Amino acid sequence: MTKKPVKSKTPRSWKQAEAHPSISEIVPEFHDGEWKYYIMINRNIDNPVTGLKGGAFFVDSFRELQYSIDW
């Protein structure tokens, strides 16, 4: 019998995402005419936008954040 892989610890709320060790801060910002969320990640985390480590990026929704980072 094979074991099912353990699901990653994907946050289920903004509060859980902000408390996650990969995230240093989440800042709501009015950008390009609408509200977006500026996600600041720690230096050792792959940035899904730049492909480099660390930095920050924008997301439009919590769902987008969930799919952006390898939790």
mmCIF file of all heavy atoms in Angstrom, residues 24-58:
data_model
loop_
_atom_site.group_PDB
_atom_site.id
_atom_site.type_symbol
_atom_site.label_atom_id
_atom_site.label_comp_id
_atom_site.label_asym_id
_atom_site.label_seq_id
_atom_site.Cartn_x
_atom_site.Cartn_y
_atom_site.Cartn_z
ATOM 1 N N SER A 24 7.233 38.025 4.561
ATOM 2 C CA SER A 24 7.644 38.994 5.583
ATOM 3 C C SER A 24 6.558 40.029 5.838
ATOM 4 O O SER A 24 6.405 40.509 6.950
ATOM 5 C CB SER A 24 8.960 39.672 5.199
ATOM 6 O OG SER A 24 8.846 40.345 3.988
ATOM 7 N N GLU A 25 5.768 40.366 4.792
ATOM 8 C CA GLU A 25 4.702 41.347 4.987
ATOM 9 C C GLU A 25 3.749 41.320 3.798
ATOM 10 O O GLU A 25 4.152 41.033 2.671
ATOM 11 C CB GLU A 25 5.307 42.746 5.125
ATOM 12 C CG GLU A 25 4.352 43.795 5.583
ATOM 13 C CD GLU A 25 5.030 45.137 5.868
ATOM 14 O OE1 GLU A 25 6.251 45.246 5.717
ATOM 15 O OE2 GLU A 25 4.308 46.067 6.227
ATOM 16 N N ILE A 26 2.480 41.633 4.052
ATOM 17 C CA ILE A 26 1.480 41.793 2.998
ATOM 18 C C ILE A 26 0.882 43.182 3.162
ATOM 19 O O ILE A 26 0.364 43.516 4.225
ATOM 20 C CB ILE A 26 0.372 40.724 3.096
ATOM 21 C CG1 ILE A 26 0.967 39.328 2.926
ATOM 22 C CG2 ILE A 26 -0.712 40.991 2.053
ATOM 23 C CD1 ILE A 26 -0.019 38.192 3.151
ATOM 24 N N VAL A 27 0.965 43.988 2.095
ATOM 25 C CA VAL A 27 0.491 45.367 2.161
ATOM 26 C C VAL A 27 -0.559 45.603 1.073
ATOM 27 O O VAL A 27 -0.248 45.489 -0.113
ATOM 28 C CB VAL A 27 1.665 46.354 1.957
ATOM 29 C CG1 VAL A 27 1.182 47.788 2.014
ATOM 30 C CG2 VAL A 27 2.759 46.106 2.970
ATOM 31 N N PRO A 28 -1.808 45.914 1.464
ATOM 32 C CA PRO A 28 -2.802 46.275 0.448
ATOM 33 C C PRO A 28 -2.424 47.639 -0.140
ATOM 34 O O PRO A 28 -2.065 48.556 0.600
ATOM 35 C CB PRO A 28 -4.117 46.351 1.209
ATOM 36 C CG PRO A 28 -3.819 46.064 2.626
ATOM 37 C CD PRO A 28 -2.356 45.910 2.799
ATOM 38 N N GLU A 29 -2.470 47.762 -1.460
ATOM 39 C CA GLU A 29 -2.076 49.006 -2.135
ATOM 40 C C GLU A 29 -3.007 49.275 -3.299
ATOM 41 O O GLU A 29 -3.411 48.349 -3.994
ATOM 42 C CB GLU A 29 -0.662 48.860 -2.712
ATOM 43 C CG GLU A 29 0.400 49.482 -1.884
ATOM 44 C CD GLU A 29 1.763 49.418 -2.576
ATOM 45 O OE1 GLU A 29 1.855 49.663 -3.784
ATOM 46 O OE2 GLU A 29 2.723 49.125 -1.869
ATOM 47 N N PHE A 30 -3.306 50.546 -3.514
ATOM 48 C CA PHE A 30 -4.068 50.930 -4.697
ATOM 49 C C PHE A 30 -3.063 51.073 -5.824
ATOM 50 O O PHE A 30 -2.175 51.916 -5.783
ATOM 51 C CB PHE A 30 -4.828 52.236 -4.441
ATOM 52 C CG PHE A 30 -5.917 52.477 -5.421
ATOM 53 C CD1 PHE A 30 -7.069 51.705 -5.396
ATOM 54 C CD2 PHE A 30 -5.796 53.457 -6.381
ATOM 55 C CE1 PHE A 30 -8.084 51.909 -6.309
ATOM 56 C CE2 PHE A 30 -6.808 53.680 -7.293
ATOM 57 C CZ PHE A 30 -7.957 52.908 -7.261
ATOM 58 N N HIS A 31 -3.158 50.209 -6.834
ATOM 59 C CA HIS A 31 -2.160 50.138 -7.900
ATOM 60 C C HIS A 31 -2.871 49.886 -9.228
ATOM 61 O O HIS A 31 -3.726 49.016 -9.317
ATOM 62 C CB HIS A 31 -1.172 49.001 -7.584
ATOM 63 C CG HIS A 31 -0.031 48.886 -8.509
ATOM 64 N ND1 HIS A 31 1.029 49.755 -8.501
ATOM 65 C CD2 HIS A 31 0.222 48.003 -9.501
ATOM 66 C CE1 HIS A 31 1.891 49.408 -9.426
ATOM 67 N NE2 HIS A 31 1.417 48.346 -10.059
ATOM 68 N N ASP A 32 -2.518 50.649 -10.246
ATOM 69 C CA ASP A 32 -3.136 50.509 -11.577
ATOM 70 C C ASP A 32 -4.657 50.641 -11.526
ATOM 71 O O ASP A 32 -5.389 49.929 -12.215
ATOM 72 C CB ASP A 32 -2.765 49.167 -12.224
ATOM 73 C CG ASP A 32 -1.291 49.057 -12.569
ATOM 74 O OD1 ASP A 32 -0.638 50.113 -12.732
ATOM 75 O OD2 ASP A 32 -0.806 47.922 -12.673
ATOM 76 N N GLY A 33 -5.139 51.531 -10.667
ATOM 77 C CA GLY A 33 -6.570 51.804 -10.611
ATOM 78 C C GLY A 33 -7.403 50.812 -9.816
ATOM 79 O O GLY A 33 -8.631 50.869 -9.855
ATOM 80 N N GLU A 34 -6.783 49.894 -9.113
ATOM 81 C CA GLU A 34 -7.535 48.939 -8.289
ATOM 82 C C GLU A 34 -6.704 48.481 -7.102
ATOM 83 O O GLU A 34 -5.498 48.665 -7.068
ATOM 84 C CB GLU A 34 -7.995 47.737 -9.115
ATOM 85 C CG GLU A 34 -6.871 46.954 -9.748
ATOM 86 C CD GLU A 34 -7.385 45.871 -10.683
ATOM 87 O OE1 GLU A 34 -8.141 46.186 -11.607
ATOM 88 O OE2 GLU A 34 -7.021 44.704 -10.461
ATOM 89 N N TRP A 35 -7.382 47.877 -6.126
ATOM 90 C CA TRP A 35 -6.687 47.369 -4.950
ATOM 91 C C TRP A 35 -5.974 46.069 -5.286
ATOM 92 O O TRP A 35 -6.560 45.174 -5.885
ATOM 93 C CB TRP A 35 -7.644 47.148 -3.786
ATOM 94 C CG TRP A 35 -7.999 48.441 -3.125
ATOM 95 C CD1 TRP A 35 -9.139 49.161 -3.305
ATOM 96 C CD2 TRP A 35 -7.186 49.179 -2.222
ATOM 97 N NE1 TRP A 35 -9.079 50.308 -2.561
ATOM 98 C CE2 TRP A 35 -7.889 50.350 -1.883
ATOM 99 C CE3 TRP A 35 -5.922 48.980 -1.666
ATOM 100 C CZ2 TRP A 35 -7.384 51.304 -1.011
ATOM 101 C CZ3 TRP A 35 -5.425 49.927 -0.793
ATOM 102 C CH2 TRP A 35 -6.152 51.070 -0.475
ATOM 103 N N LYS A 36 -4.700 46.014 -4.907
ATOM 104 C CA LYS A 36 -3.897 44.803 -5.072
ATOM 105 C C LYS A 36 -3.147 44.577 -3.766
ATOM 106 O O LYS A 36 -3.183 45.413 -2.872
ATOM 107 C CB LYS A 36 -2.907 44.956 -6.222
ATOM 108 C CG LYS A 36 -3.597 45.105 -7.562
ATOM 109 C CD LYS A 36 -2.618 45.108 -8.696
ATOM 110 C CE LYS A 36 -3.375 45.243 -10.011
ATOM 111 N NZ LYS A 36 -2.540 45.031 -11.154
ATOM 112 N N TYR A 37 -2.473 43.471 -3.681
ATOM 113 C CA TYR A 37 -1.734 43.139 -2.467
ATOM 114 C C TYR A 37 -0.265 42.969 -2.813
ATOM 115 O O TYR A 37 0.089 42.186 -3.687
ATOM 116 C CB TYR A 37 -2.299 41.860 -1.831
ATOM 117 C CG TYR A 37 -3.748 42.036 -1.492
ATOM 118 C CD1 TYR A 37 -4.737 41.736 -2.420
ATOM 119 C CD2 TYR A 37 -4.129 42.565 -0.272
ATOM 120 C CE1 TYR A 37 -6.071 41.933 -2.129
ATOM 121 C CE2 TYR A 37 -5.469 42.768 0.026
ATOM 122 C CZ TYR A 37 -6.426 42.453 -0.907
ATOM 123 O OH TYR A 37 -7.745 42.657 -0.609
ATOM 124 N N TYR A 38 0.568 43.744 -2.131
ATOM 125 C CA TYR A 38 2.011 43.706 -2.332
ATOM 126 C C TYR A 38 2.572 42.670 -1.360
ATOM 127 O O TYR A 38 2.487 42.844 -0.143
ATOM 128 C CB TYR A 38 2.589 45.095 -2.063
ATOM 129 C CG TYR A 38 3.985 45.317 -2.545
ATOM 130 C CD1 TYR A 38 4.328 45.138 -3.878
ATOM 131 C CD2 TYR A 38 4.975 45.730 -1.672
ATOM 132 C CE1 TYR A 38 5.619 45.365 -4.321
ATOM 133 C CE2 TYR A 38 6.265 45.967 -2.104
ATOM 134 C CZ TYR A 38 6.579 45.777 -3.436
ATOM 135 O OH TYR A 38 7.858 46.003 -3.877
ATOM 136 N N ILE A 39 3.094 41.582 -1.896
ATOM 137 C CA ILE A 39 3.578 40.464 -1.088
ATOM 138 C C ILE A 39 5.094 40.549 -0.989
ATOM 139 O O ILE A 39 5.785 40.444 -2.001
ATOM 140 C CB ILE A 39 3.183 39.112 -1.724
ATOM 141 C CG1 ILE A 39 1.689 39.072 -2.097
ATOM 142 C CG2 ILE A 39 3.588 37.962 -0.815
ATOM 143 C CD1 ILE A 39 0.733 39.265 -0.955
ATOM 144 N N MET A 40 5.599 40.775 0.212
ATOM 145 C CA MET A 40 7.047 40.829 0.433
ATOM 146 C C MET A 40 7.485 39.483 0.999
ATOM 147 O O MET A 40 6.937 39.025 2.006
ATOM 148 C CB MET A 40 7.391 41.970 1.373
ATOM 149 C CG MET A 40 7.165 43.322 0.722
ATOM 150 S SD MET A 40 7.510 44.682 1.817
ATOM 151 C CE MET A 40 5.841 45.213 2.133
ATOM 152 N N ILE A 41 8.426 38.852 0.294
ATOM 153 C CA ILE A 41 8.866 37.515 0.689
ATOM 154 C C ILE A 41 10.302 37.546 1.194
ATOM 155 O O ILE A 41 11.066 38.463 0.894
ATOM 156 C CB ILE A 41 8.724 36.509 -0.474
ATOM 157 C CG1 ILE A 41 9.460 36.998 -1.727
ATOM 158 C CG2 ILE A 41 7.264 36.243 -0.783
ATOM 159 C CD1 ILE A 41 9.435 36.040 -2.887
ATOM 160 N N ASN A 42 10.645 36.542 1.964
ATOM 161 C CA ASN A 42 11.991 36.448 2.537
ATOM 162 C C ASN A 42 13.030 36.141 1.462
ATOM 163 O O ASN A 42 12.706 35.635 0.388
ATOM 164 C CB ASN A 42 12.011 35.386 3.632
ATOM 165 C CG ASN A 42 11.163 35.813 4.805
ATOM 166 O OD1 ASN A 42 11.136 36.974 5.186
ATOM 167 N ND2 ASN A 42 10.432 34.881 5.380
ATOM 168 N N ARG A 43 14.271 36.435 1.767
ATOM 169 C CA ARG A 43 15.371 36.325 0.800
ATOM 170 C C ARG A 43 15.603 34.923 0.255
ATOM 171 O O ARG A 43 16.148 34.756 -0.815
ATOM 172 C CB ARG A 43 16.669 36.802 1.439
ATOM 173 C CG ARG A 43 16.665 38.261 1.738
ATOM 174 C CD ARG A 43 17.968 38.660 2.354
ATOM 175 N NE ARG A 43 17.886 40.032 2.816
ATOM 176 C CZ ARG A 43 18.878 40.692 3.319
ATOM 177 N NH1 ARG A 43 20.053 40.098 3.458
ATOM 178 N NH2 ARG A 43 18.725 41.928 3.697
ATOM 179 N N ASN A 44 15.208 33.902 0.981
ATOM 180 C CA ASN A 44 15.470 32.529 0.557
ATOM 181 C C ASN A 44 14.318 31.910 -0.242
ATOM 182 O O ASN A 44 14.364 30.747 -0.610
ATOM 183 C CB ASN A 44 15.780 31.647 1.761
ATOM 184 C CG ASN A 44 14.621 31.594 2.737
ATOM 185 O OD1 ASN A 44 13.858 32.541 2.865
ATOM 186 N ND2 ASN A 44 14.488 30.492 3.447
ATOM 187 N N ILE A 45 13.283 32.684 -0.544
ATOM 188 C CA ILE A 45 12.092 32.183 -1.243
ATOM 189 C C ILE A 45 12.138 32.604 -2.710
ATOM 190 O O ILE A 45 12.477 33.735 -3.030
ATOM 191 C CB ILE A 45 10.809 32.747 -0.576
ATOM 192 C CG1 ILE A 45 10.776 32.403 0.908
ATOM 193 C CG2 ILE A 45 9.554 32.257 -1.272
ATOM 194 C CD1 ILE A 45 10.848 30.921 1.221
ATOM 195 N N ASP A 46 11.785 31.678 -3.604
ATOM 196 C CA ASP A 46 11.744 31.990 -5.037
ATOM 197 C C ASP A 46 10.623 32.978 -5.323
ATOM 198 O O ASP A 46 9.476 32.759 -4.948
ATOM 199 C CB ASP A 46 11.508 30.727 -5.865
ATOM 200 C CG ASP A 46 12.699 29.788 -5.838
ATOM 201 O OD1 ASP A 46 13.840 30.282 -5.799
ATOM 202 O OD2 ASP A 46 12.483 28.567 -5.871
ATOM 203 N N ASN A 47 10.980 34.061 -6.009
ATOM 204 C CA ASN A 47 10.001 35.058 -6.399
ATOM 205 C C ASN A 47 9.345 34.581 -7.698
ATOM 206 O O ASN A 47 10.029 34.406 -8.704
ATOM 207 C CB ASN A 47 10.687 36.406 -6.600
ATOM 208 C CG ASN A 47 9.724 37.536 -6.854
ATOM 209 O OD1 ASN A 47 8.772 37.382 -7.607
ATOM 210 N ND2 ASN A 47 9.973 38.673 -6.235
ATOM 211 N N PRO A 48 8.017 34.369 -7.705
ATOM 212 C CA PRO A 48 7.357 33.826 -8.894
ATOM 213 C C PRO A 48 7.337 34.782 -10.081
ATOM 214 O O PRO A 48 7.122 34.371 -11.205
ATOM 215 C CB PRO A 48 5.942 33.524 -8.410
ATOM 216 C CG PRO A 48 5.730 34.442 -7.261
ATOM 217 C CD PRO A 48 7.081 34.602 -6.618
ATOM 218 N N VAL A 49 7.586 36.069 -9.844
ATOM 219 C CA VAL A 49 7.562 37.058 -10.921
ATOM 220 C C VAL A 49 8.940 37.247 -11.544
ATOM 221 O O VAL A 49 9.091 37.221 -12.761
ATOM 222 C CB VAL A 49 7.005 38.412 -10.413
ATOM 223 C CG1 VAL A 49 7.065 39.480 -11.489
ATOM 224 C CG2 VAL A 49 5.582 38.230 -9.913
ATOM 225 N N THR A 50 9.960 37.397 -10.701
ATOM 226 C CA THR A 50 11.306 37.664 -11.222
ATOM 227 C C THR A 50 12.127 36.407 -11.464
ATOM 228 O O THR A 50 13.086 36.433 -12.215
ATOM 229 C CB THR A 50 12.103 38.553 -10.240
ATOM 230 O OG1 THR A 50 12.314 37.816 -9.025
ATOM 231 C CG2 THR A 50 11.374 39.846 -9.948
ATOM 232 N N GLY A 51 11.766 35.311 -10.769
ATOM 233 C CA GLY A 51 12.552 34.092 -10.873
ATOM 234 C C GLY A 51 13.785 34.101 -9.986
ATOM 235 O O GLY A 51 14.534 33.141 -9.943
ATOM 236 N N LEU A 52 13.993 35.196 -9.285
ATOM 237 C CA LEU A 52 15.122 35.322 -8.360
ATOM 238 C C LEU A 52 14.652 34.998 -6.949
ATOM 239 O O LEU A 52 13.491 34.708 -6.716
ATOM 240 C CB LEU A 52 15.702 36.736 -8.436
ATOM 241 C CG LEU A 52 16.168 37.184 -9.824
ATOM 242 C CD1 LEU A 52 16.550 38.658 -9.809
ATOM 243 C CD2 LEU A 52 17.322 36.330 -10.299
ATOM 244 N N LYS A 53 15.554 35.100 -5.987
ATOM 245 C CA LYS A 53 15.197 34.867 -4.580
ATOM 246 C C LYS A 53 14.802 36.186 -3.931
ATOM 247 O O LYS A 53 15.426 37.217 -4.157
ATOM 248 C CB LYS A 53 16.384 34.276 -3.819
ATOM 249 C CG LYS A 53 16.824 32.925 -4.324
ATOM 250 C CD LYS A 53 16.032 31.841 -3.688
ATOM 251 C CE LYS A 53 16.616 30.483 -4.067
ATOM 252 N NZ LYS A 53 15.760 29.410 -3.712
ATOM 253 N N GLY A 54 13.768 36.134 -3.113
ATOM 254 C CA GLY A 54 13.359 37.284 -2.320
ATOM 255 C C GLY A 54 12.668 38.378 -3.118
ATOM 256 O O GLY A 54 12.253 38.180 -4.249
ATOM 257 N N GLY A 55 12.509 39.530 -2.477
ATOM 258 C CA GLY A 55 11.863 40.664 -3.124
ATOM 259 C C GLY A 55 10.389 40.728 -2.800
ATOM 260 O O GLY A 55 9.951 40.360 -1.713
ATOM 261 N N ALA A 56 9.617 41.176 -3.784
ATOM 262 C CA ALA A 56 8.186 41.353 -3.589
ATOM 263 C C ALA A 56 7.475 41.282 -4.940
ATOM 264 O O ALA A 56 8.101 41.404 -5.980
ATOM 265 C CB ALA A 56 7.916 42.688 -2.916
ATOM 266 N N PHE A 57 6.166 41.092 -4.873
ATOM 267 C CA PHE A 57 5.354 41.043 -6.085
ATOM 268 C C PHE A 57 3.911 41.361 -5.729
ATOM 269 O O PHE A 57 3.519 41.302 -4.571
ATOM 270 C CB PHE A 57 5.460 39.667 -6.766
ATOM 271 C CG PHE A 57 5.018 38.517 -5.908
ATOM 272 C CD1 PHE A 57 3.717 38.028 -5.988
ATOM 273 C CD2 PHE A 57 5.888 37.917 -5.015
ATOM 274 C CE1 PHE A 57 3.308 36.963 -5.196
ATOM 275 C CE2 PHE A 57 5.499 36.851 -4.226
ATOM 276 C CZ PHE A 57 4.195 36.372 -4.313
ATOM 277 N N PHE A 58 3.116 41.727 -6.729
ATOM 278 C CA PHE A 58 1.702 42.022 -6.535
ATOM 279 C C PHE A 58 0.846 40.809 -6.865
ATOM 280 O O PHE A 58 1.174 40.039 -7.771
ATOM 281 C CB PHE A 58 1.251 43.161 -7.460
ATOM 282 C CG PHE A 58 1.636 44.524 -6.986
ATOM 283 C CD1 PHE A 58 2.670 45.208 -7.590
ATOM 284 C CD2 PHE A 58 0.959 45.143 -5.951
ATOM 285 C CE1 PHE A 58 3.033 46.471 -7.173
ATOM 286 C CE2 PHE A 58 1.311 46.405 -5.513
ATOM 287 C CZ PHE A 58 2.347 47.075 -6.135
#
